[in-house]
Amino acid sequence: MMSLGLRILLIFAASVSCVCAIRKIRKSQIKIEEAIFWFFMLFVILLLSIFPSSGIWMAKFLGVESPANLIYLVMIFILGVKVFFLSLKNCQIEYKLWILSQEIAIWKNQIENGR
């Protein structure tokens, strides 16, 4: 079972992280779409810290040896999906940058040739 001190620490850390994310959104330093992912992660952490028996129940239900293993498995999966989508976004940005640099090169050539 999770100790009371650890539960309080997790609740405090999740609350502070949530406040920081909201401040970043207000200052337009992070997109709301990106913040939703982090809010979801913080919500899961809050649920597991407030109701630690839910992790135990879910581990038994899914047949995982221990709740810690289940949490690691879920977090690795979620972060893997996040990395995949960030990689897709990175590829799209690189393609747009390549197209933009080609267009600039064409415009520069036209200006140099007097067109």
Side-chain angles (χ1 to χ4, degrees):
M1 206 54 154
M2 191 182 307
S3 70
L4 181 62
L6 179 60
R7 291 172 65 186
I8 291 171
L9 179 67
L10 285 173
I11 292 170
F12 177 74
S15 301
V16 169
S17 299
C18 187
V19 168
C20 289
I22 290 172
R23 288 181 64 200
K24 293 287 184 184
I25 290 171
R26 286 186 179 166
K27 291 181 180 181
S28 298
Q29 294 176 338
I30 188 172
K31 290 183 180 180
I32 294 176
E33 296 85 19
E34 295 294 324
I36 289 173
F37 170 78
W38 296 111
F39 285 131
F40 173 74
M41 295 291 283
L42 293 171
F43 179 72
V44 170
I45 291 171
L46 275 175
L47 279 180
L48 288 174
S49 61
I50 294 171
F51 306 109
S53 60
S54 62
I56 296 168
W57 176 83
M58 195 172 259
K60 285 181 183 178
F61 178 75
L62 295 174
V64 178
E65 187 69 26
S66 72
N69 290 345
L70 176 67
I71 291 171
Y72 286 137
L73 181 66
V74 169
M75 291 300 172
I76 288 169
F77 175 75
I78 289 172
L79 291 174
V81 169
K82 181 68 172 172
V83 167
F84 175 73
F85 283 114
L86 286 174
S87 178
L88 285 177
K89 187 179 282 189
N90 188 32
C91 288
Q92 291 172 348
I93 290 171
E94 284 180 358
Y95 178 74
K96 288 178 183 180
L97 181 63
W98 180 76
I99 294 293
L100 183 62
S101 65
Q102 295 295 319
E103 289 176 356
I104 290 172
I106 290 170
W107 290 343
K108 185 177 178 182
N109 188 25
Q110 289 175 350
I111 290 172
E112 288 174 356
N113 291 335
R115 287 183 76 201

